[in-house]
Amino acid sequence: MSNATTTTIEPAIAAPDKATQTLSGSQAVLEACLAEGVTTIFGYPGGAIMPIYDALYDYADKLEHILVRHEQGGIHAAQGYARASGRTGVVFATSGPGATNLVTGLADALIDSTPLVCITGQVFAHLLGTDAFQEIDVINITTPVTKWNYQVTDATEIPAVLAKAFYIAGTGRPGPVLIDITKNAQLQKFDYEGYTPCNHIRSYRPKPIVRKEYVAEAAALINAAQKPFVIFGQGVVLGKAEQEFKTFIEKAGLPAAWTIMGMGAIPTNHPQAVGMLGMHGNYAPNVLTNECDVLIAIGMRFDDRVTGRLDKYAKQAKVIHLDIDPAEIDKNVKADIPVWGDCKETLPLLTALVEKKDRSSWLSEFRELEKKEQEQVITPELNPSSDTLTMGEVLKFINELTEGEAIMVTDVGQHQMVTCRYAHFNNSKSNITSGGLGTMGFGLPAAIGAKYGAPDKHVIAIIGDGGIQMTIQELGTIMQFGAAVKILILNNQFLGMVRQWQQLFHDKRYSFVNITSPNYVTVAKGYGIEGRTVDQRADLKAALKTMLDHPGAYLLEVMVGKENNVFPMVPQGCSVSEIRLS
Amino acid sequence: MQKQEFTITAYTENQIGLINRIAIMFSRRKINIESLNTSPSEIEGIHRFTIVINETEEVVRKLCRQIEKQVEVLKAYYNTNDEIVWQEMGLYKVPTDIIAEKVKVERLLREFGARAVVIRKDYTVFETTGHREEIERLIKALEPYHLIEFVRSARVAIIKDSHGFHTKLKEFEKEEPGEEVIENEFLDKREQVFTM
């Protein structure tokens, strides 16, 4: 979307004049970024955001700008950055198509509570509503997919609006914020009085008031319970409450299962970890959800992929729900005891009141069911008897090589579910995936962002042959900026998850799921990225080691079984206790 | 749970685009808004939304939490009709000559507490306020007399049992047309226009 307007010649914008403190709106945007501690911006220039890019030229030593190949890649990269670093991701895009290309990423970030500040250029204010070149009503288009958005038409608004944007994006339940700035406001000079970070908005309460009586009731219920069970989500990570959470479950001896977004908040091999919930989650936590007597939901939102049929979900259990967002309480599952608040604050209060207990006999019920899953699903997946490579065994070797220290960024599909089922994580913020929206094309750009968010970590992008082709152009970004991302394509020559559903629920009518791939290694080489393809088990581990040891980016394509399925599975419309092992 | 009429009252910042942000919460759930009114409140910069929908209490409660979640919304309440004092306004345009000639019309107007807002040679506009049924009864009554145009306002409502936040807000200031306009030339000449 780089079509520059030809009717206006942009004046060169000088560096800030410290004596008079006269700044342009564009400079004020960048000063706000600096004041908020932004170091990396993902973006793509164009006519309506050119003044900001012109100003960026003078800030190149302080603000690193990553030129992506498509705005969708830019926003997914910012999401990956935010998820890996725990900071707010920043995206620049121009007006019109530049802004509309952000919409998928905004929706993804909203549903997965990812803090983002997106700055879009807009046509001159006097052209608003005239169908001017690359004009679109970005505020109304993005309203349903942003936590907050605002259009700036006067430069003097910029410092306060940007401060508000960063505050809203990063506090409470985080989310994406979009600020649309008209070109005249970017060019306009004004008396700059400095940047004051925002820490209060009259109508915005990021953290609800903790009701201590509910915390006490929750503790009493847990203390009296025979089979209490914790299910946790990304709220633990977003609240930076990993330690508080660990202390809580350890003191009360509670078995804990994670949602796809909560994964990694405690190490996956923690003695009280009992696996992943949901449609392709583990057998034991799904089945025992319908057998526990107290269900303690922490920072999770009872997504339908987790609950299955709501009318058959944990009906026997008293439900305690801890969440920072009051709108989540009772939204899907009625809570007997609601605990509103930031789990960083509420968990220590709860820990103080719960009794130290050994619940090993209850935990052993999980372990018994685990054995069943191990026998029927995990062993055949990780140690297959046929010559066909499975996705699971790829993960097994990655676990051996990385020892749970890598960041895994997945796209969407079978490989995503297999990764979340089998990957080992020692650290929080290590599992980055598109959870709520299920955005194919997320993986590659998000991995680029994650590498900038956590440069010292191995970042492995695990992507299917469908998803990689949705944003494959970001190989160009990797090439230009030398992002050392390891790209692992699990190629089953199908849109695998759709095919699995067609096999199981549509009489094997494989309608348009047979997807042809290019020669990925050749494509990668075209972008100056090393790579190879593996289709033999004997070569797999060594090839993965070569990929991880390679100093820069590397693409490894693994040819896996065409019609392998991901099990267990809670079929849509079924109860979690009806989970199928085959 | 049975659907019934609920009135949602939301106190908000005065922000461009907020009405859209709130309206799409209803449209994404395919809930029809029966009536929507926005108005300033006594506190400068704070607006009051009054939204009427037919829904179950469970849905309305969840909607209010979602509305309240919006950055610019201070508070959202929901009430049944028993819990509020509410009014709507109807405007009715009828041909003046027919009105002037038909004795029964004036009686109807008295029965419905209506009053003339504009009186011109060609048409007269009446106004009445009340509950929807009252306003609609007057339509039925005026229809035989060549009702030209009818419009009913959105609901405005005061919550009877208002505590806390409500007490900080003054009652709405009802704006009335202050200037005498040329169209009202017959307004004070009742006897010359109407006969009993």
Side-chain angles (χ1 to χ4, degrees):
Chain A
M1 307 313 124
S2 58
N3 295 357
T5 50
T6 51
T7 50
T8 310
I9 298 166
E10 273 68 31
I13 299 168
D17 183 342
K18 297 289 178 194
T20 59
Q21 282 292 297
T22 299
L23 257 60
S24 69
S26 299
Q27 288 169 313
V29 168
L30 301 179
E31 288 293 326
C33 289
L34 284 178
E36 292 288 347
V38 174
T39 55
T40 309
I41 294 164
F42 301 90
Y44 206 98
I49 199 169
M50 219 177 279
I52 288 178
Y53 273 85
D54 186 66
L56 193 58
Y57 195 77
D58 297 321
Y59 285 74
D61 56 335
K62 299 176 213 153
L63 291 169
E64 185 179 23
H65 178 272
I66 310 301
L67 176 69
V68 292
R69 294 299 182 267
H70 186 286
E71 289 85 356
Q72 185 188 358
I75 190 163
H76 290 330
Q79 289 177 271
Y81 174 90
R83 296 268 293 273
S85 69
R87 302 166 67 187
T88 298
V90 179
V91 188
F92 287 173
T94 193
S95 63
T100 55
N101 282 343
L102 296 179
V103 171
T104 303
L106 289 168
D108 195 288
L110 184 72
I111 200 161
D112 282 349
S113 307
T114 307
L116 295 182
V117 170
C118 302
I119 312 269
T120 50
Q122 181 55 280
V123 301
F124 284 90
H126 72 269
L127 293 173
L128 287 170
T130 65
D131 301 327
F133 177 67
Q134 293 192 331
E135 189 213 350
I136 198 79
D137 182 359
V138 66
I139 293 298
N140 276 316
I141 284 177
T142 61
T143 291
V145 289
T146 49
K147 185 175 174 186
W148 187 68
N149 61 9
Y150 188 80
Q151 186 174 63
V152 174
T153 51
D154 188 307
T156 58
E157 292 182 290
I158 286 173
V161 167
L162 266 286
K164 206 171 159 182
F166 277 97
Y167 178 58
I168 292 168
T171 53
R173 180 177 179 170
V177 168
L178 183 137
I179 305 298
D180 192 41
I181 308 177
T182 56
K183 199 166 178 180
N184 58 293
Q186 296 171 44
L187 292 165
Q188 180 191 341
K189 302 229 173 183
F190 69 107
D191 290 336
Y192 181 69
E193 293 172 359
Y195 183 81
T196 310
C198 177
N199 57 20
H200 175 75
I201 297 168
R202 179 170 61 169
S203 55
Y204 174 59
R205 287 168 197 80
K207 290 182 188 178
I209 295 162
V210 177
R211 298 270 298 272
K212 290 193 178 158
E213 65 272 28
Y214 285 138
V215 177
E217 278 182 40
L221 198 57
I222 295 166
N223 290 337
Q226 297 303 307
K227 293 182 171 184
F229 178 33
V230 169
I231 56 178
F232 66 96
Q234 195 192 197
V236 175
V237 180
L238 294 170
K240 299 182 175 61
E242 293 91 343
Q243 188 53 49
E244 289 81 357
F245 177 71
K246 198 157 153 275
T247 310
F248 167 66
I249 59 165
E250 285 174 356
K251 183 179 179 191
L254 303 165
W258 52 80
T259 69
I260 198 171
M261 297 298 289
M263 191 178 192
I266 54 169
T268 43
N269 63 359
H270 188 280
Q272 280 159 250
V274 294
M276 183 169 85
L277 296 157
M279 184 173 269
H280 292 288
N282 292 107
Y283 188 61
N286 274 314
V287 169
L288 294 181
T289 296
N290 277 358
E291 290 185 26
C292 66
D293 56 356
V294 174
L295 189 66
I296 307 143
I298 303 175
M300 58 86 69
R301 56 187 183 85
F302 290 110
D303 180 81
D304 56 273
R305 278 290 191 270
V306 163
T307 63
R309 262 181 85 154
L310 270 176
D311 61 347
K312 290 188 175 179
Y313 183 78
K315 287 293 164 198
Q316 80 296 342
K318 293 272 184 194
V319 176
I320 300 168
H321 194 173
L322 286 77
D323 208 291
I324 197 166
D325 180 357
E328 287 302 335
I329 308 275
D330 292 350
K331 189 182 81 175
N332 296 330
V333 171
K334 177 96 181 110
D336 295 281
I337 302 176
V339 182
W340 290 281
D342 185 345
C343 57
K344 182 101 180 161
E345 293 170 29
T346 53
L347 281 172
L349 296 172
L350 200 51
T351 305
L353 297 176
V354 293
E355 292 162 6
K356 192 169 173 57
K357 280 203 178 166
D358 171 37
R359 299 186 192 270
S360 47
S361 66
W362 167 225
L363 199 58
S364 67
E365 289 190 37
F366 287 87
R367 301 307 176 209
E368 280 304 309
L369 292 180
E370 266 173 29
K371 279 183 202 160
K372 196 173 171 186
E373 184 181 350
Q374 181 77 37
E375 203 175 287
Q376 291 190 38
V377 181
I378 301 174
T379 302
E381 175 72 25
L382 300 190
N383 302 296
S385 50
S386 76
D387 291 341
T388 310
L389 293 181
T390 66
M391 294 186 183
E393 65 184 316
V394 178
L395 266 297
K396 178 183 75 175
F397 289 129
I398 289 177
N399 288 337
E400 286 176 18
L401 292 165
T402 64
E403 297 178 333
E405 290 297 320
I407 291 178
M408 311 269 197
V409 184
T410 56
D411 208 78
V412 169
Q414 285 184 318
H415 68 277
Q416 175 192 31
M417 291 300 127
V418 169
T419 303
C420 292
R421 282 182 51 76
Y422 297 111
H424 293 172
F425 294 112
N426 300 337
N427 308 304
S428 183
K429 299 196 276 290
S430 294
N431 182 38
I432 297 172
T433 192
S434 170
L437 198 69
T439 305
M440 284 178 72
F442 173 86
L444 183 62
I448 297 170
K451 189 67 190 169
Y452 282 94
D456 300 332
K457 296 267 186 182
H458 267 309
V459 173
I460 307 171
I462 301 179
I463 312 176
D465 45 326
I468 187 77
Q469 294 187 64
M470 282 201 172
T471 46
I472 199 166
Q473 76 285 347
E474 298 309 329
L475 291 174
T477 308
I478 293 171
M479 171 180 68
Q480 185 171 349
F481 294 90
V485 174
K486 312 301 176 185
I487 306 152
L488 181 59
I489 300 174
L490 300 182
N491 187 345
N492 58 8
Q493 301 166 63
F494 269 124
L495 301 177
M497 191 58 93
V498 184
R499 188 210 53 74
Q500 177 171 339
W501 279 54
Q502 289 174 340
Q503 179 188 341
L504 299 176
F505 311 119
H506 294 272
D507 301 326
K508 288 195 177 185
R509 288 154 56 87
Y510 291 169
S511 180
F512 298 99
V513 285
N514 194 340
I515 186 167
T516 308
S517 286
N519 183 327
Y520 291 116
V521 175
T522 305
V523 171
K525 286 194 172 148
Y527 282 102
I529 297 167
E530 285 294 315
R532 72 172 284 196
T533 299
V534 168
D535 57 6
Q536 298 297 316
R537 184 162 296 126
D539 301 332
L540 181 57
K541 191 171 178 184
L544 287 164
K545 188 164 183 339
T546 302
M547 174 184 85
L548 291 168
D549 290 345
H550 187 79
Y554 194 94
L555 184 146
L556 177 66
E557 178 190 28
V558 180
M559 304 304 293
V560 295
K562 281 189 75 172
E563 296 187 63
N564 289 354
N565 289 335
V566 188
F567 282 110
M569 181 177 194
V570 181
Q572 193 145 37
C574 289
S575 150
V576 286
S577 48
E578 295 173 83
I579 184 168
R580 287 172 57 171
L581 285 167
S582 59
Chain B
M1 215 183 283
Q2 212 46 11
K3 283 189 182 181
Q4 61 171 314
E5 201 164 76
F6 281 97
T7 301
I8 294 170
T9 306
Y11 296 92
T12 75
E13 301 274 6
N14 183 10
Q15 179 78 48
I16 289 174
L18 185 60
I19 193 165
N20 187 34
R21 213 167 245 285
I22 289 176
I24 60 177
M25 290 180 169
F26 295 87
S27 56
R28 83 177 278 201
R29 292 168 179 80
K30 244 183 143 157
I31 294 170
N32 186 39
I33 293 176
E34 303 293 331
S35 156
L36 187 152
N37 172 266
T38 73
S39 155
S41 74
E42 67 155 17
I43 299 174
E44 199 177 338
I46 291 186
H47 270 218
R48 180 170 173 149
F49 279 67
T50 306
I51 304 164
V52 183
I53 57 169
N54 261 306
E55 257 308 332
T56 62
E57 185 176 354
E58 192 184 346
V59 170
V60 176
R61 184 172 58 243
K62 287 176 185 175
L63 265 167
C64 279
R65 286 202 182 149
Q66 296 287 347
I67 291 169
E68 215 168 271
K69 188 171 152 179
Q70 295 302 315
V71 168
E72 280 113 354
V73 176
L74 287 95
K75 195 76 193 159
Y77 301 93
Y78 67 90
N79 294 94
T80 59
N81 287 347
D82 296 341
E83 297 165 348
I84 54 169
V85 177
W86 57 276
Q87 293 279 277
E88 290 168 4
M89 185 178 79
L91 290 176
Y92 314 76
K93 186 159 103 179
V94 280
T96 301
D97 53 350
I98 297 177
I99 289 293
E101 288 163 18
K102 307 284 181 180
V103 176
K104 287 177 185 170
V105 174
E106 192 186 357
R107 285 185 182 157
L108 280 174
L109 297 183
R110 288 186 172 195
E111 273 177 37
F112 290 96
R115 64 190 189 88
V117 183
V118 169
I119 302 167
R120 293 175 21 146
K121 284 175 184 159
D122 47 352
Y123 64 79
T124 294
V125 176
F126 295 103
E127 169 261 10
T128 190
T129 55
H131 287 191
R132 178 168 303 177
E133 311 78 61
E134 295 165 329
I135 289 167
E136 284 175 356
R137 279 213 310 274
L138 184 54
I139 305 178
K140 290 269 180 292
L142 286 175
E143 264 170 1
Y145 306 106
H146 297 228
L147 179 65
I148 303 165
E149 236 180 299
F150 162 72
V151 63
R152 187 181 62 226
S153 76
R155 174 180 294 189
V156 290
I158 297 288
I159 302 166
K160 289 177 188 169
D161 182 20
S162 55
H163 299 290
F165 188 80
H166 302 93
T167 56
K168 296 174 188 167
L169 296 171
K170 287 181 189 165
E171 286 183 20
F172 294 121
E173 283 180 9
K174 194 179 175 187
E175 283 187 4
E176 293 287 346
E179 289 177 27
E180 196 77 4
V181 293
I182 188 72
E183 289 175 327
N184 283 337
E185 58 190 308
F186 298 108
L187 195 62
D188 299 328
K189 298 174 182 167
R190 189 182 181 86
E191 298 306 315
Q192 293 172 36
V193 179
F194 294 106
T195 55
M196 286 297 290

